[in-house]
Amino acid sequence: MATQRVSHEGTLSLALFSRLAQHCESLEGEVTVTLESGRDIEGLVFLKGYLSTVLSLQCQRCNDPFEYPVSTEFMLSPVFNHKDAKGLPSHYDPLLLDEDSVVVETMVEDELLLSLPLIPKHDLVDCKVKELPKAPFIATPKKNPFAVLKRAK
């Protein structure tokens, strides 16, 4: 793990990310990654990062592809088990490790997956579907739950 402050900057091809491919229309392009590692004032190892890319997602309203810009920052601290993760200060997210090293591609893919919208869709002004269909309101008479008791008399 990092004991001195180290910074790295570079790009990774989006084609490396097989889990991300399940959520994207295509994986063309690159993600720009900036990472800084070191120890904080409390002696905890940290990994601070910034990711920037544009993903091609499918709009769930009109089914057309659209470009979704991603720009996200994260602050992680490596841990080896869930007990250590619970002891981290609130400004760190845990980075659960199996070994004494970090696989950068896996970590970047995890952060990209976390940045995806729950329901990908264009802005309404850019979408082919300009108005969502309104569900018809059908009033149904409420049944009296005590009607059975009236028949018992």
Side-chain angles (χ1 to χ4, degrees), residues 40 60 72 75 87 96 142:
D40 68 6
Q60 297 302 300
T72 185
M75 186 72 124
L96 196 57
K142 291 187 178 184

Side-chain angles (χ1 to χ4, degrees), residues 78-139:
V79 294
F80 291 101
N81 57 53
H82 294 287
K83 182 181 176 190
D84 291 343
K86 289 180 182 175
L88 285 176
S90 62
H91 56 276
Y92 288 122
D93 287 323
L95 175 62
L96 196 57
L97 301 177
D98 292 331
E99 301 171 8
D100 197 28
S101 62
V102 174
V103 179
V104 173
E105 290 86 355
T106 303
M107 181 190 62
V108 168
E109 185 175 25
D110 288 346
E111 293 300 323
L112 287 172
L113 287 167
L114 288 169
S115 70
L116 291 175
L118 186 59
I119 301 172
K121 53 190 171 192
H122 293 102
D123 285 332
L124 199 51
V125 295
D126 298 328
C127 194
K128 284 190 321 190
V129 178
K130 295 299 180 195
E131 194 173 306
L132 299 176
K134 294 185 174 31
F137 178 75
I138 301 171

Side-chain angles (χ1 to χ4, degrees), residues 10-60:
T11 59
L12 293 171
S13 171
L14 289 173
L16 293 171
F17 307 127
S18 59
R19 292 179 295 145
L20 185 63
Q22 299 171 25
H23 304 278
C24 294
E25 283 291 295
S26 69
L27 288 181
E28 296 175 11
E30 296 179 325
V31 56
T32 302
V33 182
T34 303
L35 296 174
E36 180 183 334
S37 62
R39 285 198 182 268
D40 68 6
I41 254 179
E42 299 173 34
L44 292 171
V45 175
F46 70 86
L47 185 59
K48 181 179 181 179
Y50 174 78
L51 304 176
S52 177
T53 191
V54 176
L55 299 174
S56 178
L57 303 178
Q58 182 183 32
C59 177
Q60 297 302 300

